[in-house]
Amino acid sequence: MCSKKIPKHVIERIPLYLNYLEKLDEKNVIMISSKTISDNLGLGEVQVRKDLNLVSGNGKPKIGYVLKDLKYDLEQLIRSEQYTNIIIIGAGNIGEALAKNFQYEKPQFRLLGIFDNDSQKINSSIINIKVKDISTLPYFCAHNRIDIAIICVPGNNAQAVCDIVVENNIKGILNFTNTYLNVNKNINVRNVDITSLLTMIAIEINNKGENINGK
Amino acid sequence: MCSKKIPKHVIERIPLYLNYLEKLDEKNVIMISSKTISDNLGLGEVQVRKDLNLVSGNGKPKIGYVLKDLKYDLEQLIRSEQYTNIIIIGAGNIGEALAKNFQYEKPQFRLLGIFDNDSQKINSSIINIKVKDISTLPYFCAHNRIDIAIICVPGNNAQAVCDIVVENNIKGILNFTNTYLNVNKNINVRNVDITSLLTMIAIEINNKGENINGK
DNA sequence: TAGATTGTTAATCGATTAACAATC
DNA sequence: TAGATTGTTAATCGATTAACAATC
């Protein structure tokens, strides 16, 4: 209802703010100013102020923000429902490592299922979750509201898996494969491909560029 | 010498182009047009043309690009040296999964070492690489040109590890921890934090926004 | 009160898109 | 030649930064 469209770049900074605020909260810090935040996160002072004003707007001149209130306002952006429900598809090295990570994840993200097509893996347990047969995925999705699928199957199966989860009403995908996924624009896909990330870093290392120069 | 500063957003698209071109090359495609690329990668036609012109500029009107030449031009951006050398620090779940992935990585990225501080892990082997004691890292860096460090240690050790690699002349960092790293601006850091990525996706799912609206 | 900090308006910067001329 | 595709110039859009008024 009262939602506003948050610019893409702001969305990418919100986890940074949240993470920082959580750490301060643990240290029982009460108040926080945008200057302190910008200094510690290496961002522009005005940029932080603009971001926070957009998503919270509860700052007080001269005083700053009440930390817990600001954190609450940021958290409100994450979900209308109480939990964001997640499944992992592909119980290989990466899938298993990610699943284990969920034990330490923020509680608002719940890992509801792990799927694979390898009979050796099906019915084995990772943390306390039994790996299910991928063929049961449509049934599972029909009976649970799944928000995000984490795909870490071999690249050549990725598009097929993607099509299945999209058909089953998943809204977001975290793609750990090296395959570009063709999906409808209303599905939010984020890609984590190690080769791509290393390539970007390598290019920037090489690109500490001299200036533009005739071809 | 003849390098030009490539805009940030272009750098982020290059791996996408490269990945796509590699797949076409395997299918023995000879020529490629920017229209075909943009259609398949969901990008703007002009955007692709501008990007390719910036980094290659060897397109021929009416004909398009010779695929192998274009791929070559893109690959040239990645390194001046023949290889980009990588180390992984932290041999836990994620570190191990990533190391195993290197077997299938593009050959220009070489995993030269894996480090940990856990005596249980030191001297064990992952793929064909022996895990080394983290205390030997400075010596190792002094005797090998390491370009990029992948950090996947527990969050509370991340900054310390980061400081060590930066002191030892590493130029890029792929940070798999949930800790924000404070580094000099000339070091290229990319963060892969699952919670952050899930948070971004969750916000966007919730943010299919109605329009701006009075507070 | 004076200083610190917020929120906002205007200016700048950079990226994308539209329009179009050049050409194989 | 006509059509397809490139590369470029200008226009638009969006994000960042600078300047400043408001205020606890």
Side-chain angles (χ1 to χ4, degrees):
Chain A
M1 289 280 106
C2 244
S3 76
K4 355 164 188 164
K5 191 93 171 131
I6 304 170
K8 221 169 43 166
H9 286 62
V10 179
I11 290 180
E12 312 232 311
R13 283 188 294 266
I14 290 173
L16 206 59
Y17 297 136
L18 261 175
N19 189 35
Y20 177 70
L21 295 177
E22 277 156 15
K23 278 175 186 162
L24 288 188
D25 195 23
E26 281 164 21
K27 291 181 194 158
N28 298 309
V29 173
I30 304 298
M31 302 301 298
I32 184 76
S33 76
S34 53
K35 180 69 163 61
T36 308
I37 297 177
S38 66
D39 283 351
N40 281 286
L41 297 179
L43 301 172
E45 193 181 340
V46 184
Q47 183 172 64
V48 172
R49 215 145 65 223
K50 248 194 161 182
D51 288 353
L52 298 188
N53 181 243
L54 179 70
V55 299
S56 164
N58 292 321
K60 297 274 176 297
K62 170 154 177 168
I63 291 179
Y65 284 84
V66 177
L67 192 142
K68 276 191 191 301
D69 292 353
L70 180 57
K71 184 161 153 277
Y72 178 83
D73 288 340
L74 289 168
E75 283 167 349
Q76 287 317 297
L77 301 170
I78 297 177
R79 64 224 168 329
S80 33
E81 308 287 333
Q82 186 171 12
Y83 294 108
T84 300
N85 292 326
I86 318 254
I87 55 173
I88 290 178
I89 305 175
N93 291 315
I94 294 278
E96 194 174 335
L98 292 176
K100 284 179 180 161
N101 248 309
F102 263 87
Q103 298 173 286
Y104 322 109
E105 287 297 301
K106 302 303 166 333
Q108 64 262 37
F109 293 107
R110 287 196 307 188
L111 178 60
L112 288 199
I114 305 172
F115 296 84
D116 206 298
N117 66 355
D118 177 353
S119 57
Q120 298 244 299
K121 281 172 187 152
I122 293 164
N123 287 323
S124 70
S125 279
I126 297 176
I127 50 176
N128 53 353
I129 296 175
K130 225 174 215 174
V131 177
K132 293 185 186 65
D133 190 319
I134 182 98
S135 67
T136 66
L137 181 59
Y139 180 86
F140 188 86
C141 290
H143 291 261
N144 298 274
R145 177 184 51 82
I146 308 298
D147 302 294
I148 301 175
I150 302 178
I151 301 181
C152 25
V153 300
N156 51 322
N157 296 333
Q159 183 67 56
V161 165
C162 171
D163 292 343
I164 294 172
V165 297
V166 169
E167 239 169 62
N168 287 283
N169 287 314
I170 270 168
K171 304 294 186 311
I173 293 174
L174 189 48
N175 176 26
F176 270 84
T177 78
N178 62 359
T179 299
Y180 173 82
L181 298 176
N182 245 302
V183 290
N184 193 301
K185 291 255 173 195
N186 63 3
I187 307 290
N188 192 254
V189 179
R190 299 213 168 232
N191 298 294
V192 182
D193 174 46
I194 309 309
T195 302
S196 295
L197 289 162
L198 292 175
T199 301
M200 292 176 207
I201 295 176
I203 292 174
E204 281 191 4
I205 288 175
N206 255 297
N207 189 44
K208 288 279 163 256
E210 352 293 83
N211 285 27
I212 293 165
N213 203 314
K215 300 230 179 77
Chain B
M1 290 281 106
C2 243
S3 78
K4 345 156 198 171
K5 192 95 171 127
I6 304 171
K8 220 168 46 168
H9 287 61
V10 178
I11 290 181
E12 312 232 310
R13 284 189 293 267
I14 290 174
L16 205 60
Y17 297 137
L18 260 175
N19 188 35
Y20 177 70
L21 294 177
E22 277 156 13
K23 278 176 186 163
L24 288 189
D25 195 25
E26 280 164 20
K27 290 182 194 158
N28 298 309
V29 173
I30 304 298
M31 303 300 299
I32 184 76
S33 76
S34 51
K35 181 70 164 59
T36 308
I37 296 175
S38 66
D39 283 352
N40 281 286
L41 297 180
L43 300 171
E45 191 182 341
V46 185
Q47 183 172 66
V48 172
R49 215 146 64 223
K50 250 199 159 179
D51 287 352
L52 299 188
N53 180 243
L54 179 69
V55 298
S56 165
N58 292 321
K60 297 274 176 297
K62 172 153 175 168
I63 291 179
Y65 283 83
V66 177
L67 191 142
K68 277 190 193 300
D69 292 354
L70 179 57
K71 184 163 152 275
Y72 177 84
D73 288 339
L74 289 168
E75 283 166 350
Q76 286 317 296
L77 301 170
I78 297 178
R79 63 227 169 328
S80 33
E81 308 287 335
Q82 186 170 11
Y83 294 108
T84 300
N85 292 327
I86 318 253
I87 56 173
I88 291 178
I89 304 175
N93 291 314
I94 294 278
E96 193 174 336
L98 292 176
K100 284 180 180 160
N101 248 308
F102 263 87
Q103 299 173 286
Y104 321 110
E105 288 296 302
K106 302 305 165 332
Q108 64 261 38
F109 294 107
R110 286 196 307 187
L111 178 60
L112 288 200
I114 305 173
F115 295 84
D116 206 299
N117 67 355
D118 177 353
S119 57
Q120 298 244 302
K121 281 172 188 152
I122 293 165
N123 287 324
S124 70
S125 280
I126 297 176
I127 51 175
N128 53 354
I129 295 175
K130 225 175 215 173
V131 177
K132 293 184 185 64
D133 190 319
I134 183 98
S135 66
T136 67
L137 182 58
Y139 179 87
F140 188 85
C141 289
H143 291 262
N144 298 274
R145 177 184 52 81
I146 307 299
D147 301 295
I148 302 174
I150 302 178
I151 300 182
C152 25
V153 299
N156 50 323
N157 297 333
Q159 183 67 55
V161 165
C162 171
D163 292 343
I164 295 173
V165 297
V166 168
E167 240 168 63
N168 286 284
N169 288 313
I170 270 168
K171 303 296 186 315
I173 293 173
L174 190 48
N175 175 26
F176 270 84
T177 79
N178 62 359
T179 297
Y180 173 81
L181 297 177
N182 247 301
V183 289
N184 193 300
K185 291 255 173 194
N186 63 1
I187 307 290
N188 194 255
V189 179
R190 299 212 168 235
N191 298 293
V192 182
D193 174 46
I194 308 309
T195 303
S196 295
L197 289 161
L198 293 174
T199 301
M200 293 176 206
I201 296 176
I203 292 174
E204 281 191 5
I205 288 174
N206 254 298
N207 189 44
K208 288 277 161 258
E210 353 293 83
N211 284 27
I212 293 164
N213 203 313
K215 300 231 182 78

